[in-house]
Amino acid sequence: MNQYVTGGVIKDLREKNKLTQAELAEKLCVSDKTISKWETGRGYPDITLLEPLAKTFNVSITELISGNAVTNANISANMIRSKFYVCPVCGNVIHSIGEAVITCHGVELTPEDSIYADENHAVFVEVCEDEYFVSFNHEMTKKHYISFVAAVSSDRIELVKFYPEGNAETRFKINAVKRLYYFCNKDGLFYVDIVKERKNNE
């Protein structure tokens, strides 16, 4: 991630917004020569201009600095396609149902790629009245553990955080749950389709 907005990013965003250097300069109350200096790398915007620049280009300050514009095409987002971000520094778990620019502890996070569960990360699902009892036969040491599990339906999510040396088990209301996502701190994000998994456990 760039530590500050670059001239290339300013030029790209200016052109995408169909602004001339003079028009951008007018909006920011600076000279067009100043815009030219920024775009050719001979100068940088004052920090007080970051917010006006971001507003002019209709992006967040994080997008402006990172150079990564976010377009959320998932407006009517289906929760099944949830994205999970995990901070490698503190273990913070952040959930999104669309595109986002997310940072934690100064690190720009990317969504975890989920893969269908393998034998080493099997999940056991039992029905107990109106709940799913979910458990994992997985070590829960300080160095290797399941960090969280999330039960997802098309319109809601319930997330439970696990901790090292604790029990990797929990209960979820059935509530049309379709998928479970869970995260191993060493091997990443896994998922299972819960109906299929119930059949396997029967």
Side-chain angles (χ1 to χ4, degrees), residues 100-118:
V101 174
I102 294 174
T103 61
C104 188
H105 284 83
V107 178
E108 184 175 343
L109 306 181
T110 56
E112 295 289 333
D113 291 325
S114 62
I115 60 172
Y116 205 85
D118 57 24

Side-chain angles (χ1 to χ4, degrees), residues 66 69 115 144 150 153 159 161 179 190:
S66 71
I115 60 172
H144 192 192
S153 66
L159 188 145
K161 187 80 172 73
R179 182 169 287 183
F190 297 89

